[in-house]
Amino acid sequence: MHAITVTDRDAGLDGLTLTEMPYPYASENDVIVRVHTAGFTPGELDWPGTWTDRADRDRTPSIPGHELAGVVVELGYGTTGLTVGQRVFGTVDWTRNGTLAEYTAVEARNLAPLPADIDDTVAAALPISGLTAWQALFDHGGLTAGQTVLIHGAAGGVGSLAVQLAREVGAHVIATGRADDRDLALDLGAHAFLDLGADELESVGEVDLVLDVVGGDILERSTALVRPGGTLVTIAEPPSTQPAHGIAKFFVVEADRARLADLAQRVRDGRLRPLVGAVRPLTEAAAAYGRDRRTPGKTIIQVTKDQ
Ligand SMILES: NC(=O)c1ccc[n+]([C@@H]2O[C@H](COP(=O)([O-])OP(=O)(O)OC[C@H]3O[C@@H](n4cnc5c(N)ncnc54)[C@H](OP(=O)(O)O)[C@@H]3O)[C@@H](O)[C@H]2O)c1
């Protein structure tokens, strides 16, 4: 089957190579999915699981991409809950071959049925960004109505969904990003927008929750904005400092079939809008991520076209 693989840790996005890989094996409780559309997070080339398995053994050449929409074509031994021919969407474990491939083996519990009225392109933009936004805001951040949340990178995959989810729950939402992102962030539901390139981050004042997707200096400086008893949740890197009277935490998103189903229902209801950017074929996947200009929204790879 055709797949994108990586073999060289130092090559970055230039290491994404279109190649032939063996058809995957369906283990216990797995399904094999024919991948229609796939998402890829450039940062995953820095994740340990891209390069080694759960026992820290080299697993290259590995196939990146850990979210998909597609159709189940095979069930593993003992697999229940999904059927051959069913449309599904969801995530693939970080330490397994991923979704930039015509077929992939996935634990069935990582997938949810995909409603007929959500197309494959929108569905592939939802799993990692949607689950991450939800878990950051509510599971780790404890966000509730009336609280103030600062969401960095509001025009990105995670930030754009987080702004919408936080607004819906009744929080006061301050979004950040590049100057060009202002209109989009306000349109998604932010009450206020801060241009990280021009505005003073400290002008935001104290907030109950910071959701950081950027890391580095932005993460460091955001720590001081957490009000006593508040929380900073970062998905970029473990924080090196803690707020004076709050807590800062880093986490890695977990698969969650029930939450995927909930997010899909929000999309159907028009309450949640995943931002789809460029849609490119598998043959152009490497070029799609080695982008030299900004494309708002999540880049989606159309891996196969059969429905
Ligand atoms: N821990 C986890 O479980 C987890 C899960 C998902 C993602 N992540 C990580 O979280 C990060 C964000 O993911 P994503 O999918 O949302 O990425 P994304 O779609 O690229 O969004 C990031 C957004 O932040 C903006 N941004 C970055 N640095 C900025 C700066 N200095 N000033 C202003 N805006 C800035 C980006 O703008 P530009 O496009 O202009 O740079 C973009 O709009 C990635 O590093 C990803 O690997 C971690």
Side-chain angles (χ1 to χ4, degrees), residues 70-296:
V71 63
V72 175
V73 294
E74 189 183 329
L75 303 180
Y77 183 71
T79 302
T80 59
L82 295 174
T83 54
V84 170
Q86 188 167 16
R87 292 180 76 224
V88 291
F89 75 121
T91 57
V92 175
D93 286 359
W94 320 123
T95 51
R96 297 186 77 169
N97 276 340
T99 59
L100 294 182
E102 290 175 289
Y103 297 91
T104 191
V106 195
E107 281 191 86
R109 63 183 175 177
N110 290 12
L111 303 174
L114 179 57
D117 52 0
I118 300 180
D119 78 38
D120 289 324
T121 310
V122 170
L126 196 54
I128 291 180
S129 298
L131 290 175
T132 303
W134 184 280
Q135 290 167 17
L137 291 174
F138 305 117
D139 297 341
H140 299 284
L143 185 67
T144 56
Q147 292 188 326
T148 298
V149 58
L150 175 67
I151 298 174
H152 290 311
V158 176
S160 61
L161 294 175
V163 166
Q164 297 173 69
L165 292 169
R167 176 67 191 251
E168 192 187 2
V169 83
H172 181 76
V173 181
I174 304 168
T176 80
R178 316 256 183 211
D180 290 351
D181 299 332
R182 179 181 301 273
D183 290 349
L184 175 61
L186 296 176
D187 186 49
L188 291 172
H191 294 92
F193 179 82
L194 191 106
D195 170 3
L196 285 175
D199 301 332
E200 197 60 46
L201 179 57
E202 289 67 22
S203 68
V204 165
E206 289 190 331
V207 300
D208 298 288
L209 175 64
V210 176
L211 169 50
D212 169 58
V213 307
V214 177
D217 179 56
I218 299 296
L219 166 59
E220 290 282 317
R221 288 165 55 207
S222 298
T223 308
L225 305 178
V226 175
R227 80 170 34 122
T231 306
L232 180 150
V233 176
T234 178
I235 58 166
E237 58 183 318
S240 56
T241 54
Q242 287 291 319
H245 303 289
I247 187 161
K249 35 183 155 169
F250 167 77
F251 78 101
V252 175
V253 60
E254 290 183 40
D256 184 340
R257 174 185 284 175
R259 185 57 58 201
L260 282 177
D262 170 70
L263 292 168
Q265 189 58 47
R266 286 164 191 272
V267 172
R268 299 179 77 194
D269 294 345
R271 288 183 288 155
L272 191 64
R273 176 160 61 98
L275 287 183
V276 176
V279 181
R280 308 275 288 273
L282 189 66
T283 49
E284 294 174 19
Y289 293 105
R291 56 188 175 158
D292 53 11
R293 57 176 284 276
R294 298 186 71 210
T295 312

